Structures are given as C-alpha cells and as structure tokens.
Amino acid sequence: SNGDLERLGILVRNYFGGPNKASPNLSMETILRNFGIPVRLRDMRERAALVAQDQKGRFRTAVILGTQLKPHEQRFYLAHLLGHYILHFQPKIATGDITMKGMKEEQDYAPRLMGKIVGISEIERAADDFAVALLMPKGMFTKAIESPFSSS
C-alpha cells in the first residue's frame, strides 16, 4: 500500500541518506552508495538501467544513467530504480529465485489521464510511488506547503 511505501521511503532516508537525510534535496547518489550500488553516467539510448547480476555466487548491482537526463530527472530515475531494487530484485536475490536480472527505463514519466496513471504496470507504479515517497515524504510536503501560510 502507499502507506507502507511511505514508511519504507522514510526508513531508507533515515538509514541511508547520510547527513542531509532530512533535506528536500536528498542526494540519491549518497543513498545508492550507502546501499553499495555504484552510479555511472553513460551515453546511451535508454534513460536509465538497473543491473543486478550474479558473478560466481555474488551479486553486483549498478545503476547506469543516460547523460541526456536533467538533474531532477536523474534524481527521480535513481529513486525509481532503487524502488525496483528494494521491492522487486532484493527479495528474489535473497531467496535465490533469480540469478541474473536487469531492467531498462526507456519511457518518459508515466502519462496521466484525469489524475490516473495510464498504460503503466503495477511494478512500475510501485517503483514510482516509492520514488515519490522517498524524494518528498507526505509529512515534509505538508510542512513545506503550510509553513508560508502559518500565522505564528
């Protein structure tokens, strides 16, 4: 549920976010580095890729970003791919259900129709929802929009 993803996003922020874990401008590179996942920039057609592969029984995971992405797109894709890693890859790696896996993100942000995401799978929606919860938790968002209007 979205409430569970919100709690997961806050936990990831608190445990892996480093000294700026409470900042609205969270460093996704810090979080991924603290997860042990290197981030590389490459000139490629895809926007981003998550690579998790078994090398003689040990998993090596990396995130590769296309150089064409703007900084805010990079942050979102990094959070989105971390969502895939936590929600979809890590449980299968832990149980030995997969031995090699990778994922490419080629499409733009999910198109919306009357507030609903259209043409997107549940797996992609969960990764998007996790990214939103990580980058802008509800409590932080609420505080940010209410603070300029507070009468105190």
Side-chain angles (χ1 to χ4, degrees):
S1 77
N2 278 355
D4 292 337
L5 290 176
E6 184 78 17
R7 285 188 287 282
L8 180 60
I10 291 167
L11 284 172
V12 168
R13 240 180 201 275
N14 287 336
Y15 285 102
F16 298 98
N20 295 326
K21 64 186 176 192
S23 170
N25 197 16
L26 184 67
S27 168
M28 285 307 305
E29 289 86 353
T30 297
I31 287 181
L32 285 159
R33 185 172 49 250
N34 289 340
F35 259 89
I37 301 175
V39 177
R40 301 184 183 109
L41 277 173
R42 293 234 175 102
D43 188 16
M44 60 183 194
R45 189 185 77 230
E46 294 83 12
R47 294 176 175 275
L50 172 64
V51 180
Q53 61 184 9
D54 191 4
Q55 297 292 332
K56 297 182 181 175
R58 292 182 56 219
F59 272 86
R60 291 186 325 173
T61 306
V63 171
I64 303 166
L65 289 176
T67 52
Q68 78 276 22
L69 294 174
K70 296 179 176 83
H72 68 277
E73 291 175 317
Q74 288 181 5
R75 287 180 72 237
F76 181 81
Y77 274 112
L78 289 174
H80 175 92
L81 290 172
L82 180 60
H84 279 306
Y85 180 76
I86 293 171
L87 300 170
H88 309 126
F89 286 28
Q90 190 58 39
K92 291 182 178 182
I93 292 170
T95 59
D97 290 343
I98 62 171
T99 56
M100 184 171 282
K101 185 74 174 172
M103 183 171 289
K104 293 178 183 176
E105 298 289 335
E106 299 182 15
Q107 62 270 46
D108 286 318
Y109 295 119
R112 293 179 183 268
L113 180 63
M114 297 186 65
K116 292 186 178 177
I117 297 175
V118 295
I120 185 169
S121 72
E122 287 302 312
I123 288 174
E124 290 301 314
R125 185 177 322 225
D128 278 350
D129 290 347
F130 171 81
V132 170
L134 177 61
L135 294 173
M136 184 55 71
K138 241 178 230 173
M140 185 180 287
F141 177 76
T142 303
K143 186 175 177 182
I145 63 169
E146 288 176 353
S147 61
F149 305 109
S150 65
S151 57
S152 52

